[in-house]
Amino acid sequence: MVAMMHWLAALTVAASAASGLPSADDVQIAWFSDDAPTISVISPNLTTKWFDGSDFVQIIELFVLNTHKTQFLTKSHNLTVTIASPSLDTVRPGTVVRLAPGQRALVQVGVRNKAGVKAGASCHGKVTAIAGSQTADVALAGFCGISDYESTAESLLAHRTPDWFDKIKYGIFIHWGLYSVPAYGNTRKNENYAEWYWKWQHNPNDKTQTYQYHLKTYGKDLNYDDFAANFTGENFNPKEWVDLFADAGAQYFVPTTKHHDGFALFNFSTSISRRSTVHYGPRRDFIGELFAAARQHQPHLRRGTYFSLPEWYNPQYRHGGSFAGGPPTNPYTGQVLNYTGHVEVGDFVTDVQVPQMEALAYDYGTEIMWCDIGGPNASAGVMARWINWARKSGRQVSFNSRCGLRGDFDTPEYDPNPTHPLDRKWESSRGMDPYSYGYNHVTPAAQYMTGEAIVRSLVDIVASNGNFLLDIGPRGDGAIPSIMQTNLRDAGAWIRAHAEAIFDTTYWAVTANADPFRYTATADAFYIHHVGRPASEVAVPDEVPYLPGDRVTALGGAADGTALGVRWQGLGTLTLELPQSVVDGDRYVWTFKIEYVL
């Protein structure tokens, strides 16, 4: 170990001499020692998650802090985190291999209940972190083992996004429905969501001027439900869709199964409603076909389902505001209209909303219940039953913050950098269109998100603990516009080449990701993302966890794996020297990998 410390010092001095900077001896800071730095452990949490592929090994999450002012924690210090409890056995200790002074790392420890301890029982214990001669303890209390959720909002507060959701980072959202036939939401400053066509049509003063557009294009006697006849899906090819998602570099997809117009793209009991593409228009189960294609051709893609809890004009929906309920009326004549496929039931929530959500959960096997709007609901019971059922088959599932519950993750839209606590999982969604999820036929091709814009947004979001759910809007015939396909594949080429720095990474909570730098990390490496073309020297302004001796290379692009020159004089002084082949060899975002050696 002493020899290693001397080797590190020699490297530091050599790098300093080459750069003309003061030597490490002049700085008089020992960044590394065979004695571990002081550490502390905070915020232990007995989660309701388990390690994927394990026999329900429960995950305890906590933070380890390096409380030393100058000294690094490295893999040579062999930090190990275990649990001592009369109720739990540690079966998977936690570790940290690199931690800079003053910084923290999220650590997971796997535990299993001791014999005779019932799942869900209240328990206590102690978390102990040991690194070299340093020890840190903190008390632990919570519920041991994975038990059933109760059908209450309070019980579901304990649910968290599964680890697989944190790892997959990038998904494709799909807004496709009757609104894809008129496909209109105006342009530029007057544009708004084209999938809200029916709602905008009822407001002559709305900025989209949908009321006027419909009257001029279709006349006053063509009602919204009449678009079902033209929602043919004749060019819908589910294999081509899922192949495109894979080419785009996405790891999951979330189609709209039913939007606010109440017209569904999946099958359910005719005793509650016949308002779907199974019974009208194309008479096809589009969601079933799409999920089957994913299972057969792109089985790595996780499958979610968007579902609107309310329906604008369902005669039995009652609420208020923009979702006051029906029946629908002709916006020009005031005539009360038939709500196509409507079946009279006792209660909208219990007799329509709940059975439809349960069809998606059990019949279609959704992994992400992506609700929208909230409003009247019975979601606590739906989610509790679904999560408990999925667990019995070894599956972990997730639901968002729009089901009328707090949910597992927040869902800002058209906001890639919301003011948001980094430790709370979030997912940013937006359309490739400047301001519409559904297809808007008047949007110029040049206004769609480019491959570069997609890549930059993805890196921004992932570096702040978010997922990016990017929406496409197919046409009414099921064809995905070519400009969307081209730009998705362009971004996908970059994403696949830089995948190890995006997927299955964690965010770095030390900085606010000031331009042009973004950061991600894994257990064994740290990634610096430079947004835009770099100069031949890149001075990294933040205290990244580099130590002399680490391997620093370019990641992705034509110069993938090329070693970079490094100057370093202590924490916060890292400068990268880039060969011209690296500067010229990539595009959009340049990524540099620090592979920990010590």
Side-chain angles (χ1 to χ4, degrees):
M1 182 63 70
V2 173
M4 182 180 293
M5 183 169 62
H6 290 164
W7 170 71
L8 172 62
L11 280 173
T12 306
V13 172
S16 301
S19 64
L21 295 172
S23 71
D25 292 337
D26 293 333
V27 178
Q28 295 183 345
I29 294 178
W31 295 103
F32 176 85
S33 170
D34 52 355
D35 291 328
T38 52
I39 55 175
S40 67
V41 181
I42 63 170
S43 305
N45 177 26
L46 272 157
T47 75
T48 54
K49 303 188 297 184
W50 65 89
F51 286 104
D52 287 331
S54 73
D55 184 20
F56 299 104
V57 173
Q58 185 179 11
I59 296 174
I60 295 177
E61 293 186 332
L62 53 99
F63 288 100
V64 172
L65 283 74
N66 179 350
T67 57
H68 201 280
K69 292 182 179 180
T70 60
Q71 189 177 327
F72 277 76
L73 175 79
T74 72
K75 66 175 66 176
S76 65
H77 295 131
N78 194 30
L79 182 139
T80 304
V81 184
T82 56
I83 309 299
S85 167
S87 305
L88 296 167
D89 289 322
T90 301
V91 296
R92 189 178 296 192
T95 61
V96 178
V97 302
R98 177 66 60 84
L99 202 54
Q103 297 182 15
R104 71 177 193 179
L106 178 68
V107 178
Q108 292 185 328
V109 180
V111 295
R112 184 177 284 121
N113 285 13
K114 292 181 182 292
V117 178
K118 184 179 179 180
S122 179
C123 60
H124 65 277
K126 182 174 68 173
V127 180
T128 300
I130 299 175
S133 61
Q134 300 293 331
T135 301
D137 297 323
V138 67
L140 173 72
F143 297 98
C144 295
I146 313 296
S147 62
D148 281 352
Y149 287 92
E150 298 175 357
S151 296
T152 65
E154 182 180 10
S155 177
L156 288 164
L157 285 174
H159 196 258
R160 295 290 185 271
T161 52
D163 280 358
W164 63 256
F165 184 80
D166 294 336
K167 294 175 180 178
I168 57 179
K169 308 297 185 186
Y170 178 44
I172 301 297
F173 215 0
I174 308 127
H175 274 64
W176 190 44
L178 264 59
Y179 45 82
S180 305
V181 175
Y184 178 80
N186 215 320
T187 60
R188 301 187 186 278
K189 67 179 181 179
N190 291 321
E191 184 179 15
N192 211 336
Y193 296 169
E195 65 275 14
W196 279 56
Y197 184 95
W198 200 8
K199 176 60 69 173
W200 306 145
Q201 188 191 355
H202 282 75
N203 182 1
N205 298 317
D206 183 75
K207 69 176 184 177
T208 64
Q209 298 183 309
T210 302
Y211 176 94
Q212 293 82 359
Y213 173 83
H214 185 94
L215 184 62
K216 179 180 179 180
T217 306
Y218 302 106
K220 64 181 177 62
D221 295 324
L222 188 137
N223 297 307
Y224 181 83
D225 281 359
D226 295 332
F227 287 129
N230 299 105
F231 186 64
T232 63
E234 61 188 10
N235 291 317
F236 169 67
N237 185 318
K239 180 183 184 301
E240 290 181 359
W241 278 30
V242 297
D243 287 348
L244 172 63
F245 305 159
D247 288 347
Q251 303 296 305
Y252 66 110
F253 65 94
V254 181
T256 299
T257 66
K258 186 188 77 171
H259 205 258
H260 314 323
D261 60 2
F263 213 96
L265 277 66
F266 67 106
N267 196 22
F268 39 81
S269 172
T270 56
S271 66
I272 63 170
S273 175
R274 294 176 58 85
R275 189 174 174 81
S276 80
T277 57
V278 175
H279 301 291
Y280 295 93
R283 288 175 167 77
R284 292 173 65 179
D285 178 358
F286 289 122
I287 301 303
E289 292 180 37
L290 186 61
F291 275 28
R295 285 191 294 269
Q296 180 179 356
H297 302 291
Q298 300 293 345
H300 72 284
L301 291 174
R302 297 277 185 169
R303 301 177 294 277
T305 47
Y306 169 103
F307 179 83
S308 173
L309 270 64
E311 296 179 14
W312 279 319
Y313 302 117
N314 188 303
Q316 291 180 272
Y317 182 79
R318 294 289 182 269
H319 190 38
S322 297
F323 295 85
T329 59
N330 183 304
Y332 308 103
T333 67
Q335 177 189 1
V336 175
L337 302 173
N338 178 49
Y339 193 62
T340 302
H342 177 65
V343 173
E344 195 75 19
V345 296
D347 178 77
F348 173 81
V349 171
T350 58
D351 298 334
V352 178
Q353 183 190 99
V354 168
Q356 287 182 337
M357 294 174 75
E358 290 180 336
L360 294 172
Y362 306 123
D363 299 340
Y364 290 82
T366 187
E367 298 174 276
I368 305 166
M369 191 71 76
W370 213 103
C371 304
D372 202 5
I373 301 302
N377 68 85
S379 295
V382 173
M383 298 307 163
R385 291 189 296 272
W386 173 49
I387 293 168
N388 295 339
W389 171 82
R391 189 188 76 251
K392 289 177 173 60
S393 60
R395 298 169 58 230
Q396 300 187 74
V397 294
S398 192
F399 65 102
N400 71 352
S401 58
R402 303 189 186 192
C403 300
L405 303 164
R406 186 169 188 262
D408 298 340
F409 58 96
D410 296 331
T411 53
E413 53 189 62
Y414 278 88
D415 187 0
N417 294 295
T419 301
H420 192 279
L422 283 177
D423 292 340
R424 163 80 172 164
K425 188 64 185 180
W426 60 286
E427 176 194 64
S428 179
S429 72
R430 62 153 294 165
M432 292 185 71
D433 186 289
Y435 203 66
S436 181
Y437 289 87
Y439 176 58
N440 182 5
H441 79 270
V442 296
T443 297
Q447 290 186 18
Y448 284 102
M449 283 190 85
T450 63
E452 180 174 7
I454 293 168
V455 167
R456 289 188 175 207
S457 292
L458 175 64
V459 172
D460 276 348
I461 291 165
V462 170
S464 295
N465 195 31
N467 281 19
F468 186 24
L469 187 61
L470 177 63
D471 180 82
I472 60 172
R475 297 187 177 96
D477 64 359
I480 298 171
S482 60
I483 186 64
M484 294 186 186
Q485 296 190 46
T486 297
N487 293 357
L488 283 173
R489 288 192 170 96
D490 181 54
W494 187 96
I495 292 166
R496 292 193 303 276
H498 301 76
E500 73 168 82
I502 299 295
F503 304 112
D504 199 8
T505 62
T506 60
Y507 70 100
W508 191 51
V510 176
T511 73
N513 293 314
D515 287 336
F517 295 96
R518 305 290 185 270
Y519 308 99
T520 55
T522 63
D524 300 308
F526 188 87
Y527 301 92
I528 301 168
H529 304 274
H530 188 284
V531 180
R533 183 183 176 90
S536 59
E537 287 195 356
V538 175
V540 182
D542 299 299
E543 296 182 345
V544 302
Y546 167 83
L547 279 174
D550 289 344
R551 285 187 283 270
V552 184
T553 57
L555 178 72
D560 180 51
T562 299
L564 308 182
V566 176
R567 298 201 307 270
W568 185 82
Q569 193 57 30
L571 199 60
T573 67
L574 179 65
T575 296
L576 305 179
E577 299 172 338
L578 311 185
Q580 195 61 39
S581 62
V582 171
V583 175
D584 295 337
D586 216 335
R587 57 186 185 142
Y588 306 156
V589 177
W590 277 248
T591 301
F592 312 117
K593 177 181 180 179
I594 299 173
E595 184 180 357
Y596 305 144
V597 173
L598 289 179

